[in-house]
């Protein structure tokens, strides 16, 4: 069931991008709603809609939702700043003289940006991840969910690199996919710790879509933020992001396997 769900969402997303390949990035980004919408239809068809919505709301554990939502913002800040530290010290990034608006158009509205982020997180972290964890080990479940999340971005990344022609198009697509795989670990950790409510993981996704491009630019539109450099190298969704996220992913697996933070 888990993999059928993932395959269906990936298929309709690829078809969406192919058919609407001449549309704007903001319009194509409506695909962010596909995972969540599909999961809601899925649970409704199986008579589990009410229980699923109760879980999403976090009403049973509001304190945990608040605590981990705050932690989500702190984690994003630390990851992005760690990326800056590495990229600058490696000589890959330098401050820009003239700032550009690198936050994507569809994320500039805080409400719209949050709803789009939640559209993904409801499907990937609140539906797919617990489904996988019922069947696989922590490492396997998180890795599968990360691969799916990475593949979800591939069609639009291929299209945008074709349009914008960055210096390393193939590497850009591959590295961005790997960064999504690794980023699925902290997103999933927040979901697990907050009882699979939508809030903490969605806030992490939403804040990432604001803070990462503001500081490091956009690997999608090849636009610099506070720092400039090759996006596949310096971005939080580039090689630097992978380097920072790898130990974070390892820590997530270790914690969930050894229950280090059961008191939280």
């Amino acid at each position: 069931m888990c993999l059928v769900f993932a395959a269906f969402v990936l298929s309709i997303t690829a078809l969406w991008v192919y058919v609407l390949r001449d549309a704007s990035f903001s319009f194509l980004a409506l695909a962010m709603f596909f995972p969540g919408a599909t999961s809601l239809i899925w649970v409704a068809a199986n008579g589990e809609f009410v229980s699923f919505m109760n879980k999403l709301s976090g009403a049973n554990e509001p304190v945990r939702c608040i605590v981990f939502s705050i932690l989500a913002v702190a984690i994003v800040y630390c990851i992005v700043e760690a990326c800056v530290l590495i990229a600058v010290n490696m000589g890959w990034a330098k401050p820009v003289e003239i700032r550009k608006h690198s936050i994507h158009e569809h994320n500039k509205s805080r409400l719209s940006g949050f709803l789009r982020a939640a559209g993904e997180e409801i499907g990937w972290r609140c539906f797919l991840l617990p489904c996988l964890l019922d069947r696989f080990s922590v490492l396997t479940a998180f890795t599968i969910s990360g691969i799916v999340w990475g593949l979800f971005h591939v069609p639009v990344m291929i299209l945008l690199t074709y349009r914008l022609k960055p210096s390393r198009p193939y590497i850009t697509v591959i590295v961005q996919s790997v960064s999504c795989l690794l980023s699925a670990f902290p997103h999933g950790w927040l979901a697990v710790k907050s009882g699979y409510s939508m809030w903490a993981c969605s806030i992490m996704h939403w804040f990432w879509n604001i803070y990462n491009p503001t500081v490091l630019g956009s690997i999608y539109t090849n636009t610099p933020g506070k720092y400039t450099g090759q996006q596949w190298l310096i971005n939080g969704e580039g090689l630097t992001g992978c380097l920072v996220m790898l130990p974070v992913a390892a820590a997530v697996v270790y914690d969930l396997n050894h229950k280090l933070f059961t008191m939280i």
Side-chain angles (χ1 to χ4, degrees):
M1 182 183 72
C2 312
L3 299 181
V4 171
F5 165 81
F8 177 77
V9 175
L10 293 179
S11 298
I12 62 172
T13 302
L15 184 62
W16 170 267
V17 173
Y18 177 75
V19 171
L20 299 171
R21 56 190 177 277
D22 295 325
S24 67
F25 180 31
S26 293
F27 188 80
L28 290 171
L30 288 171
M32 294 174 74
F33 290 111
F34 291 174
T38 304
S39 68
L40 293 176
I41 294 169
W42 199 287
V43 297
N46 287 280
E48 300 170 352
F49 186 78
V50 174
S51 61
F52 187 66
M53 292 304 294
N54 285 337
K55 180 180 69 175
L56 287 184
S57 71
N60 294 331
E61 296 185 279
V63 175
R64 293 174 71 86
C65 290
I66 293 170
V67 168
F68 284 101
S69 294
I70 294 170
L71 187 59
V73 173
I75 291 172
V76 169
Y77 176 83
C78 291
I79 289 172
V80 172
E81 292 304 318
C83 289
V84 170
L85 188 64
I86 291 174
V88 170
N89 280 283
M90 290 296 292
W92 297 339
K94 61 181 181 180
V96 297
E97 296 180 3
I98 300 176
R99 290 281 306 282
K100 293 184 178 180
H101 297 291
S102 50
I103 298 176
H104 304 148
E105 197 66 36
H106 51 274
N107 288 325
K108 287 182 179 178
S109 164
R110 298 301 188 251
L111 177 59
S112 173
F114 176 79
L115 291 175
R116 288 170 187 256
E120 284 195 47
E121 294 304 314
I122 289 170
W124 299 140
R125 249 63 69 177
C126 304
F127 179 79
L128 179 63
L129 183 59
C131 179
L132 292 170
L133 285 169
D134 283 343
R135 293 158 177 79
F136 302 103
S137 68
V138 169
L139 177 59
T140 302
F142 273 70
T143 301
I144 293 173
S145 72
I147 291 172
V148 170
W149 201 25
L151 291 174
F152 177 71
H153 290 81
V154 165
V156 75
M157 283 298 300
I158 291 175
L159 177 62
L160 291 175
T161 53
Y162 175 78
R163 285 182 183 177
L164 301 173
K165 299 182 174 18
S167 59
R168 299 282 194 278
Y170 299 113
I171 292 178
T172 299
V173 174
I174 292 169
V175 168
Q176 198 276 340
S177 297
V178 174
S179 77
C180 284
L181 189 163
L182 295 171
S183 185
F185 284 76
H187 280 79
W189 183 80
L190 288 168
V192 172
K193 292 295 183 177
S194 58
Y196 299 109
S197 77
M198 60 176 278
W199 299 107
C201 55
S202 296
I203 286 174
M204 176 178 237
H205 194 152
W206 165 76
F207 188 58
W208 177 269
N209 287 346
I210 294 172
Y211 196 62
N212 176 60
T214 297
V215 177
L216 292 166
S218 169
I219 196 169
Y220 298 90
T221 61
N222 200 33
T223 307
K226 289 182 180 179
Y227 294 87
T228 187
Q230 294 187 66
Q231 283 296 313
W232 76 268
L233 269 178
I234 73 168
N235 199 268
E237 296 181 43
L239 179 61
T240 305
C242 292
L243 295 175
V244 173
M245 210 76 71
L246 187 59
V248 175
V252 164
V253 174
Y254 189 82
D255 169 53
L256 293 179
N257 279 329
H258 295 83
K259 312 297 183 184
L260 295 183
F261 293 98
T262 53
M263 71 289 294
I264 298 181

